[in-house]
Amino acid sequence: QGYSQCQNCYISFVDLLTGLLTFKYVPYVSIGFMFLAICALLYAKYSYKRVMFHGLDYGLISTRNEEFLHKGKKDEARGIDDREKQLINIIEEIKIASLLKYTPEIFIYNEKSPNCFSLANGDRTGFIAISTGALEILPRDELRAMVAHEFAHMKCEDNKIAYYVDTLSHVLEFILDIIAEVSGVLLRISGASGGSRDSNSGAAGAVMMLASLVILLFTWLLRFTVPFVTVALRRFLKEGADLRADALAMRYTRDTLALHNLLNRQHEFN
């Protein structure tokens, strides 16, 4: 009876794969993590402003009404000052030079160091965020170079690079989780069939156990290294995108010295 039970426990890899494809065996844990990853990506895509400005004290410049709308517990409006008017003029100037199809929203966030970031949501909308330190410290030519650099990022839609890298990383992690779960099932099945009195079934079970163990260890090794590879790849692609943005900024402004001075000033603060 024990022998027959052990034979009933045995299942081939083809039967297991068929069971997964026909949803006879459902990897609930992996599907759950995949669902959470998809939800996180969708939230980041459609709530990108809330994500990027999380924890920042910031406001929006309304070019139509020439107002600064502070985004706090209550939206507070005030008139824009001379530095903010200058920023609007610079952005209109660089928009014409870069041939960008839309005028990005302009945000100001509270930070002492001269920094700036931007995000393009396709070829129709986007925003640029300037720190208060940049408005207070930078002369017009360096502020113009900073804006041109961010326009280059929006023009090339460089933010999509990080999005695609993260998406591929999550998909790869999901596939590795599926492989690890299948390998674990095969390892348990081969362990049961390895105790069979039949020499052929025992040998097959031992071979499948060894193969499943190797695949499982290799899968977990890849699963552990994927986040580190993702970070390294994002950093490598970001450096390339920054170099391209600097080159385009010089084309938009025709002022190499301003960009050079801006980079030196940012190094001093960082």
Side-chain angles (χ1 to χ4, degrees), residues 145-161:
M146 175 180 281
V147 170
H149 178 91
E150 294 304 324
F151 262 79
H153 281 309
M154 289 188 287
K155 182 75 174 178
C156 300
E157 298 184 25
D158 289 331
N159 58 283
K160 286 186 176 181
I161 295 175

Side-chain angles (χ1 to χ4, degrees), residues 3-269:
Y3 173 71
S4 61
Q5 286 179 349
C6 188
Q7 278 190 324
N8 291 333
C9 290
Y10 182 76
I11 181 173
S12 66
F13 175 76
V14 175
D15 293 336
L16 179 61
L17 184 60
T18 304
L20 289 171
L21 294 176
T22 57
F23 295 100
K24 183 179 179 181
Y25 311 116
V26 182
Y28 292 105
V29 176
S30 298
I31 291 177
F33 278 112
M34 185 62 179
F35 176 76
L36 293 176
I38 292 174
C39 290
L41 289 172
L42 290 176
Y43 179 79
K45 180 176 178 61
Y46 294 103
S47 302
Y48 58 93
K49 291 180 187 176
R50 183 179 299 177
V51 173
M52 297 193 73
F53 287 104
H54 179 71
L56 293 178
D57 180 24
Y58 71 101
L60 169 68
I61 292 181
S62 174
T63 55
R64 178 178 300 178
N65 301 325
E66 292 191 349
E67 289 182 337
F68 179 81
L69 303 175
H70 185 265
K71 300 293 184 179
K73 295 181 179 179
K74 293 183 179 180
D75 289 352
E76 302 173 356
R78 62 165 175 80
I80 58 176
D81 57 26
D82 293 337
R83 296 289 291 178
E84 292 164 351
K85 288 180 181 179
Q86 176 182 261
L87 175 62
I88 294 174
N89 293 333
I90 290 174
I91 286 177
E92 290 294 336
E93 178 185 339
I94 300 301
K95 177 197 170 186
I96 296 172
S98 64
L99 300 178
L100 196 67
K101 297 179 181 179
Y102 59 88
T103 300
E105 293 181 298
I106 308 170
F107 290 94
I108 307 293
Y109 64 98
N110 189 19
E111 184 177 314
K112 294 182 179 179
S113 59
N115 283 318
C116 180
F117 64 89
S118 62
L119 189 142
N121 188 17
D123 58 353
R124 293 173 296 177
T125 59
F127 71 82
I128 182 169
I130 311 284
S131 69
T132 53
L135 291 179
E136 294 170 359
I137 297 172
L138 299 181
R140 189 185 191 281
D141 59 340
E142 293 182 22
L143 183 62
R144 185 165 165 261
M146 175 180 281
V147 170
H149 178 91
E150 294 304 324
F151 262 79
H153 281 309
M154 289 188 287
K155 182 75 174 178
C156 300
E157 298 184 25
D158 289 331
N159 58 283
K160 286 186 176 181
I161 295 175
Y163 182 79
Y164 289 147
V165 169
D166 289 341
T167 301
L168 291 175
S169 175
H170 286 304
V171 170
L172 181 58
E173 289 176 357
F174 172 70
I175 294 173
L176 291 174
D177 287 340
I178 292 289
I179 295 174
E181 194 162 335
V182 172
S183 300
V185 172
L186 288 175
L187 188 62
R188 291 191 294 271
I189 292 173
S190 60
S193 62
S196 173
R197 296 179 181 178
D198 185 11
S199 59
N200 293 330
S201 298
V207 172
M208 189 168 69
M209 178 185 291
L210 181 60
S212 301
L213 184 60
V214 171
I215 294 173
L216 185 62
L217 293 175
F218 184 70
T219 301
W220 279 111
L221 179 63
L222 288 178
R223 184 67 175 80
F224 178 75
T225 56
V226 163
F228 297 98
V229 174
T230 302
V231 172
L233 182 60
R234 285 187 63 178
R235 183 172 181 178
F236 173 76
L237 294 175
K238 183 181 182 301
E239 290 178 355
D242 282 336
L243 291 175
R244 180 177 58 191
D246 287 340
L248 288 175
M250 287 187 287
R251 182 186 301 177
Y252 298 156
T253 60
R254 305 291 182 181
D255 192 347
T256 306
L257 181 60
L259 182 62
H260 177 73
N261 293 336
L262 172 65
L263 294 175
N264 288 336
R265 191 185 300 271
Q266 287 182 321
H267 282 308
E268 291 176 2
F269 276 89

